[in-house]
């Protein structure tokens, strides 16, 4: 990797001031657990002059419960701490399961929640220094006509990456809010609005985060009572792997009938893919075979597989069935 | 002087050290990190060297300017290996354009990035079989061709006529991707040359005795002045017989600088230029009679070995087929040459044949175990198949002649396959056993331990001879200055070196007995070595402890050489595999629940090490079957899987319950290598088990979820 200066700010404001202000200025990068950033540095995908280390900023590594049952997660909380938190496991299993599904024990011990949401795509072409693809400032998404087994079936174009984060679909399903700090103060963005499609925003990024903004905390509002939730991830290699497809579901039942459901798909689109029409279709229905079939069809409506990723359609439908059966 | 008696292995029942579970003698060193691998060698004033490898396969170089690297702090050496105007013909060693050496690995990398190398990329990159077979493509392979017929066996016309008579005929294609060796330790050397006329070359190599000549040539030194050392090695699997361009380049830099040089390939370079197992595409037409006889087979196999020819064992592999024809071709691409890899050619042939046999069995409605036995002449396979069937629970398994259904549940299936390996050996290996007056005893030979456990029997064979414990004997291996031993390829290591060790131990014992027999009022040959003592056979009251006996040597140690003895080794390994899988017919998840493998290999020297080899072979096959595949972008020519994130190998969660059985019905009292038959049939057995579970026949490895899901959704 290219040599860099390591900076160790001790407040969020100081850290934010050390970050570039202009879009496209890559002179500094934020470091948390380093599990993604270091691989990017080693492969020369980014070559910043300065690394701004967030780990000396106190107070960002706490998991806190509000009196109302809401949850605040500091950006530096590790995936392992989140996965092992007793109350999270009990009340928000979707979140513990998502955190636990990430990588390997080593990655979870180092990787943070903030880094997880801000990690960069895993697409073969993006990760190969020599393929100057759309995501790296080139003019073409090589995956579109190239080797695209792991790429997007929904929401793709002009880039066909999938968002790699396992936490992201879970947090969107939970209706989480992200607290972003910048030199000018704080703003709050819903997790659902944080992630962008390549067609909506800057194709070089996957989120609305400004260059000098830092994800400080995540607030999960207290869920309405009776919520059941799960994160079901399918990976090609069970030892450790990114998802081929994943389903995040929060559901409220009224007897045998669905009162409300929130469902978000992972690893099928460039951002966590909320399927509102499929959610609506289930409201008031029993989870019988017809409903399970219909919800799968609806969730995957509009899917446009590339040459090698058509399997994601039946796979995701299968996962939806499994997730709903598990919760009903 | 008594005539020299012939060394012979003791019957199994009389062995006290061998044929038991012997923990590796270097286990503690390895787990504590004390064992030094080539990669770990650090020497005073050592520099780190790295290659500049072009990622694109076919180039016309237009600019090679290495000078800017010298401006990087810490860089002490740069050299262009190719000049502007020269071509790069394939991805791999030929694409090494320049080399740099620096005080630190980081400076070396910075040096590489400072160089200016420009080239015109020739299109198409010629990285896929389709490109090679396209008429309009440039001819880039051997002899100016992209396709070479390599082998023809049998009478095609007769086989085709026989195919017309069969009751059941199946024609299918089977394919396997290129696989990598993935040695945990990459290729490379650390060359210790600091001026003068001697050098030590630490290298990760499976051919220690055969390497000092080539290292000496690169160093321009005399071969007897160069000692090649591989004390510990992180795997080779057939990819490490020579020092390669990485070794010779390290030698040249060391010679020029007069400083030690560390040149180990990066993982990325390893994928590009460290060799691979050739892929294959096979079209097989097989026919059987209603009663389950293999009547005819016409098989055509293409090997994808890059610039190399690839490997493919012939078909019908082990099975008896009345009329068969087999042809194989090499298809050349502009990628790194295939190299030998653990049972070269067999895992490919086994997959095609075992799939076809299974398809025919189900088509005629005979269970796949019975069908196999019906078409195998060698009774060893019958007993081995029966044994693995018993261990896997075949009797109680419901799907004997019909696979399970795709019904939204998880289905369990069982599959079988068999294998063979020659395990030949050859003359030439030697060993020295040396006994010191203070009681130390060493066994020294130039063999290497690739991680297999060979070091342990270098000591254990001698311990057995003298009634000592394994820990009493010091094994010294892995130096070219030691008595010559064979390279480790084709499972020859044990067959070549163990007889020489045994012979040396035998000779040492005879010489020792000649010296000390009088002290025990006994004749040489009338002594018993047991429990750390030497005892007179006639008068058990008369004995010496090992230490006393050694002290009797006076001031000079006793040394004896041993040579390979043909009668101490044998050859011919058979193996049978069963695999049990569970497939989720909703998500397509394939989980291997259990694998059972049995093999014979004559006298097993160390049962623990042998089972460990069988475990490793099964894991390698499982990984091949479930995950491994090299992927190129056909347009960009880039290898997309040049790292261990994207080239997926099995991890702990993939490993099933494993049963590794030594076939003790084998009564050959002779030794042979045994680490290849076990990596041949696993993936075929898993594919057969997948079919058995849910009726999905996948003919294209690896058996990844995407293919299973698509296959299942076609079926349901
Ligand atoms: C082998 C391997 C397997 C993996 N498997 C998975 C997996 O299965 N699922 C999965 O989701 N991920 C996986 N990852 C990706 C990732 O490493 C982890 O998810 C981890 O959570 C990243 O967190 P980190 O703290 O190490 O991030 P870092 O590497 O420190 O940072 C990642 C990125 O986020 C930015 N960043 C970090 N913190 C903040 C913040 N507070 N505000 C704004 N930007 C920030 C950094 O600048 C950087 O660009 C894997 C990674 C590896 C190497």
């Amino acid at each position: 990797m290219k040599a860099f200066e390591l900076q160790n700010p001790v407040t969020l404001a100081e850290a934010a001031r050390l970050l570039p202000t202009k879009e496209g200025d890559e002179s500094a990068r934020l470091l948390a657990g380093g599990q993604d950033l270091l691989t990017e540095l080693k492969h020369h995908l980014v070559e910043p002059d300065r690394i701004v280390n967030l780990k000396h900023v106190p107070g960002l590594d706490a998991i806190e419960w509000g009196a109302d049952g809401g949850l605040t997660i500091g950006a530096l909380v590790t995936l392992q701490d989140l996965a092992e938190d007793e109350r999270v496991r009990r009340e928000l299993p979707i979140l513990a399961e998502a955190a636990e599904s990430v990588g390997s024990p080593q990655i979870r011990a180092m990787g943070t929640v903030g880094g997880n949401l801000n990690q960069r795509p895993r697409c073969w072409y993006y990760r190969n220094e020599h393929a100057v693809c759309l995501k790296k400032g080139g003019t073409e998404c090589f995956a579109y006509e190239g080797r695209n087994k792991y790429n997007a079936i929904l929401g793709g174009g002009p880039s066909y990456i999938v968002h790699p984060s396992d936490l992201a679909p879970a947090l969107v399903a939970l209706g989480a809010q992200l607290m972003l700090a910048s030199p000018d103060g704080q703003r709050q963005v819903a997790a659902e609005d944080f992630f962008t499609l390549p067609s909506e925003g800057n194709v070089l990024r996957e989120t609305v985060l400004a260059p000098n903004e830092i994800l400080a905390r995540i607030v999960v509002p207290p869920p309405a009572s009776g919520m059941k939730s799960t994160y079901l991830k399918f990976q090609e290699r069970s030892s450790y792997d990114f998802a081929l497809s994943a389903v995040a579901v929060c559901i409220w039942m009224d007897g045998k009938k669905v009162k409300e459901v929130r469902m978000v798909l992972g690893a099928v689109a460039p951002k966590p893919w909320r399927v509102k029409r499929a959610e609506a279709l289930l409201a008031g229905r029993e989870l019988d075979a017809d409903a399970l079939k219909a919800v799968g069809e609806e969730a995957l409506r509009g899917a446009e597989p590339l040459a090698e990723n058509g399997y994601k359609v039946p796979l995701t439908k299968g996962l939806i069935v499994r997730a709903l059966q598990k919760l009903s | 002087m008594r005539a020299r008696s012939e060394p012979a292995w003791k019957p199994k029942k009389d062995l006290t050290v061998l044929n038991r579970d012997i923990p590796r003698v270097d286990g503690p060193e390895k787990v504590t990190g004390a064992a030094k691998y080539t990669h770990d060698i650090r020497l005073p004033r050592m520099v780190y060297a790295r290659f500049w490898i072009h990622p694109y396969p076919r180039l016309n170089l237009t600019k090679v300017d290495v000078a800017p690297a010298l401006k990087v702090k810490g860089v002490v050496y740069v050299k262009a290996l190719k000049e502007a105007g020269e071509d790069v013909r394939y991805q791999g060693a030929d694409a090494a354009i320049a080399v740099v050496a620096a005080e630190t690995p980081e400076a070396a990398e910075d040096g590489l990035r400072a160089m200016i190398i420009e080239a015109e990329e020739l299109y198409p990159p010629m990285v896929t079989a389709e490109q090679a077979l396209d008429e309009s493509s440039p001819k880039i392979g051997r002899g100016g061709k992209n396709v070479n017929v390599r082998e023809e066996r049998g009478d095609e016309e007769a086989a085709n006529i026989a195919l017309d008579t069969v009751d059941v005929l199946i024609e299918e294609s089977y394919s396997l991707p290129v696989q990598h060796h993935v040695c945990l330790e990459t290729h490379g050397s650390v060359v210790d040359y600091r001026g003068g006329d001697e050098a030590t070359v630490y290298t990760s190599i499976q051919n220690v005795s055969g390497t000092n000549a080539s290292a000496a040539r690169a160093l321009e030194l005399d071969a007897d002045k160069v000692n090649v050392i591989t004390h510990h090695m992180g795997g080779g699997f057939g990819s490490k017989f020579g020092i390669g361009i990485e070794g010779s380049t390290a030698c040249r830099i060391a010679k020029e600088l007069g400083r030690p040089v560390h040149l180990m390939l990066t993982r990325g370079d390893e994928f590009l230029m460290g060799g691979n197992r050739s892929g294959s595409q096979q079209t097989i037409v097989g026919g059987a009679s209603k009663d389950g006889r293999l009547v005819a087979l016409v098989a055509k196999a293409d090997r994808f070995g890059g610039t190399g020819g690839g490997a493919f064992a012939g078909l019908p592999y082990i099975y008896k087929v009345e009329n068969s024809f087999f042809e194989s071709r090499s298809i050349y691409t502009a990628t790194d040459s295939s190299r030998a890899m653990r049972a070269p050619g067999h895992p490919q042939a086994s997959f095609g044949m075992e799939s076809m046999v299974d398809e025919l069995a189900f088509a005629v409605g005979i269970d796949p175990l019975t069908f196999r036995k019906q078409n195998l002449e060698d009774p060893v396979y019958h007993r081995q198949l029966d044994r693995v069937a018993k261990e896997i629970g075949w009797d109680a398994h419901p799907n004997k002649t019909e696979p399970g259904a795709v019904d939204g549940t998880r289905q369990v299936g069982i599959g079988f396959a068999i294998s063979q390996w020659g395990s030949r050996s050859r003359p030439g290996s030697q060993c020295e056993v040396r006994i010191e007056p203070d009681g130390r005893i060493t066994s020294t030979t130039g063999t290497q331990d690739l991680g297999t456990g060979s070091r342990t029997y270098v000591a254990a064979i001698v311990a057995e001879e003298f009634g000592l414990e394994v820990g009493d004997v010091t094994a010294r291996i892995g130096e070219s200055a030691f008595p010559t031993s064979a390279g480790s390829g084709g499972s020859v290591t044990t067959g070549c070196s163990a007889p020489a060790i045994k012979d040396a131990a035998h000779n040492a014992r005879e010489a020792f007995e000649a010296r000390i027999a009088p002290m025990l009022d006994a004749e040489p040959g009338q002594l018993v070595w047991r429990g750390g003592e030497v005892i007179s056979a006639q008068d058990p009251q008369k004995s010496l402890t090992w230490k006393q006996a050694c002290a009797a040597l006076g001031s000079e140690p006793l040394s004896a050489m041993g040579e390979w003895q043909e009668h101490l080794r044998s050859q011919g390994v058979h193996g049978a595999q069963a695999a049990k899988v569970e497939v989720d017919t909703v998500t397509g998840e394939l989980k291997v629940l259990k694998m059972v493998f049995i093999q014979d290999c004559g006298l097993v020297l160390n049962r623990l090490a042998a089972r460990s080899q069988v475990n490793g072979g099964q894991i390698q096959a499982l990984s091949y079957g479930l995950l491994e595949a090299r992927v190129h972008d056909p347009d960009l020519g880039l290898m997309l899987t040049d790292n261990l994130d994207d080239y997926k190998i099995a991890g702990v969660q993939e490993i099933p319950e494993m049963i590794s059985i030594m076939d003790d019905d084998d009564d050959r009292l002779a030794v042979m290598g045994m680490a290849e038959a076990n990596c041949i049939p696993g993936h075929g057995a898993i594919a057969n088990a997948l079919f058995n579970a849910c009726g999905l026949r996948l003919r294209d490895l690896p058996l990844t979820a995407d293919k299973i899901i698509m296959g299942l959704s076609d079926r349901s």
Side-chain angles (χ1 to χ4, degrees):
Chain A
M1 65 183 75
K2 200 184 87 171
F4 55 78
E5 182 190 343
L6 182 67
Q7 300 179 310
N8 292 304
V10 292
T11 67
L12 262 180
E14 190 192 348
R17 274 198 302 277
L18 290 169
L19 293 174
T21 50
K22 277 207 294 294
E23 197 60 60
D25 179 348
E26 293 282 336
S27 62
R29 282 297 283 267
L30 204 56
L31 170 78
Q35 298 305 291
D36 185 41
L37 186 62
L38 261 90
T39 58
E40 287 219 296
L41 294 172
K42 282 186 186 172
H43 293 135
H44 300 273
L45 303 180
V46 290
E47 298 195 305
D49 304 318
R50 292 177 296 114
I51 296 285
V52 180
N53 180 10
L54 200 56
K55 292 217 131 173
H56 292 270
V57 176
L60 293 181
D61 56 358
I63 299 176
E64 290 161 318
W65 294 87
D68 61 353
L71 171 68
T72 303
I73 309 164
L76 289 179
V77 168
T78 64
L79 297 164
Q80 179 181 327
D81 285 345
L82 187 61
E84 287 177 356
D85 188 277
E86 282 302 326
R87 191 160 165 197
V88 172
R89 293 177 80 89
R90 207 166 51 240
E91 295 181 22
L92 304 171
I94 184 174
L95 205 50
E97 287 165 12
E100 192 156 32
S101 80
V102 173
S104 57
Q106 291 91 332
I107 304 269
R108 293 196 292 276
M110 293 298 292
T112 67
V113 169
N116 188 275
L117 295 180
N118 287 288
Q119 63 177 303
R120 304 303 314 278
R122 305 303 301 192
C123 174
W124 276 339
Y125 297 93
Y126 173 72
R127 292 279 159 176
N128 189 314
E129 184 193 355
H130 308 290
V132 185
C133 69
L134 209 50
K135 276 271 165 205
K136 297 208 286 288
T139 56
E140 200 183 327
C141 174
F142 297 119
Y144 182 60
E145 290 194 322
R147 306 304 308 260
N148 45 38
K149 171 176 165 183
Y150 300 111
N151 293 81
I153 53 170
L154 286 158
S159 155
Y160 288 83
I161 61 131
V162 295
H163 201 280
S165 165
D166 282 308
L167 287 185
L171 288 170
V172 172
L174 286 167
Q177 296 286 324
L178 309 189
M179 305 298 159
L180 312 181
S182 72
D184 314 323
Q186 290 235 358
R187 68 169 170 141
Q188 183 174 332
V189 178
E192 192 165 357
D193 303 327
F194 182 69
F195 301 97
T196 56
L197 287 179
S199 55
E200 299 167 346
N202 180 349
V203 77
L204 299 175
R205 292 176 164 273
E206 294 79 42
T207 68
V208 298
L209 195 79
N212 62 353
E213 274 184 319
I214 298 173
L215 169 59
R217 287 181 184 81
I218 297 150
V219 176
V220 181
S225 72
M227 180 181 82
K228 290 198 251 174
S229 68
T230 193
Y231 180 73
L232 213 59
K233 168 179 176 181
F234 188 85
Q235 51 198 77
E236 189 165 50
R237 167 175 57 186
S238 27
S239 291
Y240 70 88
D241 215 342
F242 289 88
L244 290 185
S245 174
V247 181
V249 184
C250 297
I251 197 166
W252 291 263
M253 300 293 288
D254 185 0
K256 289 192 143 214
K257 292 208 171 111
V258 176
K259 195 156 64 179
E260 193 192 335
V261 63
R262 294 171 63 102
M263 191 185 300
V264 183
L265 309 181
V268 292
K271 68 174 189 180
W273 194 255
R274 174 120 186 242
V275 286
K276 283 192 180 158
R277 282 213 302 261
E279 293 172 359
L281 179 148
L282 282 183
R285 275 182 81 163
E286 283 188 27
L287 289 173
D288 54 19
D290 284 350
L292 292 177
K293 188 164 161 43
V295 69
E297 292 298 330
E298 187 55 57
L300 275 297
R301 192 178 298 284
E304 290 180 14
L306 305 170
E308 298 177 341
N309 65 7
Y311 71 94
K312 287 194 177 190
V313 174
L315 172 60
T316 310
K317 287 181 187 168
L319 290 178
I320 290 172
V321 170
R322 275 282 148 81
L324 290 170
Q325 280 173 339
K326 182 177 162 193
L327 296 178
S328 64
Chain B
M1 201 50 198
R2 239 170 42 94
R4 177 186 185 280
S5 71
E6 285 288 323
W9 301 107
K10 283 189 222 163
K12 284 183 197 166
K13 63 175 179 28
D14 296 337
L15 293 167
T16 59
V17 174
L18 300 176
N19 196 237
R20 294 172 183 237
D21 284 1
I22 314 172
R24 295 172 187 250
V25 293
D26 49 9
E29 261 181 281
K30 286 189 166 170
V31 298
T32 57
K36 290 269 177 290
Y37 292 76
T38 304
H39 218 297
D40 301 325
I41 304 291
R42 297 290 180 274
L43 299 166
R45 299 191 67 237
M46 184 173 87
V47 296
Y48 295 84
R50 291 270 303 269
F51 286 120
W52 199 107
I53 312 255
H54 204 294
Y56 189 83
R58 300 173 58 238
L59 302 161
N60 190 314
L61 291 165
T62 52
K63 183 168 185 179
V64 179
D65 182 5
V66 297
L70 281 172
K71 298 207 189 81
V72 173
K73 189 163 168 277
V75 170
V76 299
Y77 176 97
V78 294
K79 188 173 174 83
L81 303 173
K82 283 191 185 266
E83 301 298 333
E86 279 189 81
D87 288 342
V88 167
R89 291 166 298 125
Y90 63 87
Q91 191 172 51
D94 200 48
I97 315 291
V99 64
V100 59
E103 304 287 352
T104 63
E106 292 80 9
E109 199 199 314
D110 288 349
L112 291 182
R113 298 188 73 85
M115 295 177 179
I116 302 165
I117 292 168
E118 291 166 6
E120 178 200 347
E121 297 183 357
L122 304 176
Y123 193 86
M126 305 295 290
V127 291
T128 64
E130 293 71 44
Q131 287 168 346
L133 292 168
D134 185 335
E135 286 296 322
S136 64
S137 289
K139 302 292 173 273
I140 52 134
R142 293 195 186 163
K145 294 193 278 189
N146 289 351
V147 180
N148 252 334
V149 174
R150 297 296 300 270
E151 192 184 1
E152 280 179 318
R153 261 190 241 174
D155 181 341
E156 184 167 14
E157 210 184 308
N160 274 321
I161 292 169
L163 278 173
D164 285 340
T165 69
V166 302
D167 299 322
V168 174
L169 183 126
I170 292 176
E171 172 167 3
E172 288 294 350
S173 285
Y174 305 91
S175 60
L176 303 94
V178 171
Q179 182 189 23
H180 287 281
H181 301 74
V182 199
C183 308
L184 276 189
E185 182 181 39
T186 59
H187 287 65
S189 303
V190 175
V191 180
D192 188 5
Y193 176 77
R194 311 178 200 184
D197 58 5
E198 292 188 356
T200 303
V201 177
Y202 302 88
T203 185
S204 184
I205 211 145
Q206 52 197 99
N207 182 21
V208 169
S209 298
T211 297
N212 61 322
S214 54
R217 213 174 307 124
L219 282 159
E220 295 173 55
L221 297 174
D222 295 336
D224 60 335
K225 298 280 171 35
V226 175
N227 191 21
V228 169
I229 296 184
T230 309
H231 286 158
H232 297 284
M233 186 174 170
F237 305 107
S239 68
K240 293 181 177 168
F241 284 106
I243 54 173
I245 141 170
E246 58 280 6
S248 55
T249 304
C251 287
R252 278 189 212 105
I253 301 172
K255 191 68 193 284
E256 274 188 56
L257 294 179
R259 293 176 67 172
V261 174
H262 185 287
L263 201 177
M264 302 299 292
L265 297 187
T266 63
R267 185 57 65 183
D269 293 351
E270 178 84 0
F271 276 108
L272 289 173
M273 61 186 274
N276 55 73
R277 166 176 274 156
S278 52
S280 104
Q281 161 88 32
Q282 310 160 36
T283 302
I284 309 180
V285 192
S289 61
K290 278 201 295 285
D291 58 353
R293 245 176 335 109
L294 290 171
V295 177
L297 189 97
V298 172
K300 301 192 176 175
D302 284 345
R303 324 163 172 189
F304 308 126
T307 54
F312 196 90
L315 292 174
Y317 201 44
I318 305 166
Y319 291 90
K320 178 172 155 35
V321 181
E322 285 157 31
N323 294 279
S324 74
F325 173 75
F326 165 67
E327 175 194 275
S328 90
R329 307 187 302 174
S330 293
I331 311 294
Y332 300 105
T333 53
T335 51
D336 189 25
S337 171
S338 59
R339 297 189 191 178
M341 180 168 169
R342 203 167 183 177
H346 284 239
Q348 297 95 322
S350 164
F351 176 64
M353 191 63 200
E354 292 291 354
S355 297
M356 172 54 76
V357 165
D358 222 62
E359 298 208 42
L360 288 169
F362 282 96
V364 298
I366 297 179
D367 82 78
L369 182 69
T370 308
F371 188 89
R372 280 182 170 74
K373 289 195 287 183
Q374 271 179 226
N375 291 287
L376 288 164
E377 289 186 311
D378 191 334
V380 174
Y381 285 116
H382 290 231
R383 81 168 181 244
Q384 291 188 341
L385 277 166
D386 285 340
R387 181 70 190 277
V388 295
K390 182 165 168 254
E391 292 287 342
I392 205 89
W394 177 244
D395 263 0
H397 183 65
N399 315 342
K400 293 276 193 329
T401 54
E402 291 283 341
V406 178
D407 59 359
T409 64
R410 293 189 168 85
Q411 291 279 24
V412 173
I414 289 175
F416 299 96
I418 55 166
S419 62
Q420 66 179 8
W421 191 252
S423 287
R424 294 190 177 79
S425 50
R426 54 179 182 267
S429 292
Q430 297 178 318
C431 177
E432 182 196 11
V433 168
R434 196 175 153 104
I435 302 164
E436 306 283 347
D438 68 356
R440 300 263 305 156
I441 174 165
T442 53
S443 172
T444 305
T445 175
T447 193
Q448 48 278 321
D449 189 330
L450 282 61
T452 51
S454 57
R455 177 182 267 109
T456 301
Y457 66 63
V458 173
I461 292 170
V462 178
E464 178 74 52
E465 192 78 20
F466 288 104
L468 297 171
E469 290 182 14
V470 179
D472 297 331
V473 183
T474 301
R476 300 168 68 225
I477 63 165
E479 298 197 22
S480 64
F482 292 164
T484 301
S485 196
S488 294
S491 287
V492 305
T493 313
T494 299
C496 288
S497 66
I501 300 160
K502 170 70 189 174
D503 190 46
H506 174 86
N507 292 342
R509 184 175 52 76
E510 291 214 322
F512 205 178
E513 289 185 2
R515 298 278 293 274
I516 60 170
M519 297 171 66
L520 297 168
D521 297 326
E523 291 293 316
Q526 300 297 315
L527 299 177
V528 179
W529 300 81
R530 194 172 57 211
E533 293 193 320
V534 52
I535 305 158
S536 160
Q538 281 100 352
D539 181 359
Q541 298 302 315
K542 293 203 170 125
S543 69
L544 294 170
T545 66
W546 171 257
K547 282 246 175 200
Q548 288 168 337
C550 293
L553 289 171
S555 59
E556 278 171 25
L558 183 152
S559 158
M561 291 299 294
E563 306 242 332
W564 183 77
Q565 302 287 338
E566 184 159 19
H567 70 278
L568 294 175
R569 44 54 84 198
S570 185
Q571 64 190 42
V573 173
H574 312 70
Q577 176 86 58
K580 187 178 189 177
V581 306
E582 182 185 77
V583 57
D584 182 331
T585 58
V586 173
T587 61
E589 181 181 6
L590 173 64
K591 193 164 176 48
V592 182
L593 301 175
K594 183 170 178 174
M595 289 176 86
V596 183
F597 184 80
I598 185 171
Q599 72 173 76
D600 54 2
C601 54
L603 172 64
V604 182
L605 293 171
N606 178 354
R607 300 182 74 89
L608 181 63
R611 286 199 310 277
S612 162
Q613 283 301 302
V614 176
N615 289 342
Q618 292 192 80
I619 290 171
Q620 216 161 16
L622 170 139
S623 189
Y624 198 12
L626 296 187
L627 292 163
E628 295 185 38
R630 184 184 79 182
V631 179
H632 275 95
D633 182 281
D635 230 35
L636 303 178
L638 298 172
M639 188 191 287
L640 300 173
T641 50
D642 62 348
N643 60 73
L644 283 171
D645 270 343
D646 299 318
Y647 184 87
K648 294 179 188 177
I649 60 171
V652 278
Q653 299 280 348
E654 275 67 40
I655 308 306
E657 177 189 358
M658 276 199 301
I659 308 218
S660 296
I661 307 169
M662 296 292 113
D663 183 351
D664 285 316
D665 289 330
D666 178 13
D667 54 10
R668 291 172 289 180
L669 203 56
V671 299
M672 69 192 81
M674 48 68 61
E676 289 180 273
N678 42 58
C679 80
I680 296 168
H683 44 285
I686 292 170
N688 290 339
L690 169 65
F691 174 82
N692 182 264
C694 64
L696 174 64
R697 177 70 63 186
L698 285 189
R699 303 181 180 89
D700 172 31
L701 289 190
L703 310 169
T704 43
D706 54 322
K707 296 176 197 166
I708 297 175
I709 297 155
M710 290 312 268
L712 287 175
S713 52
D714 285 351
R715 279 180 53 82
S716 61

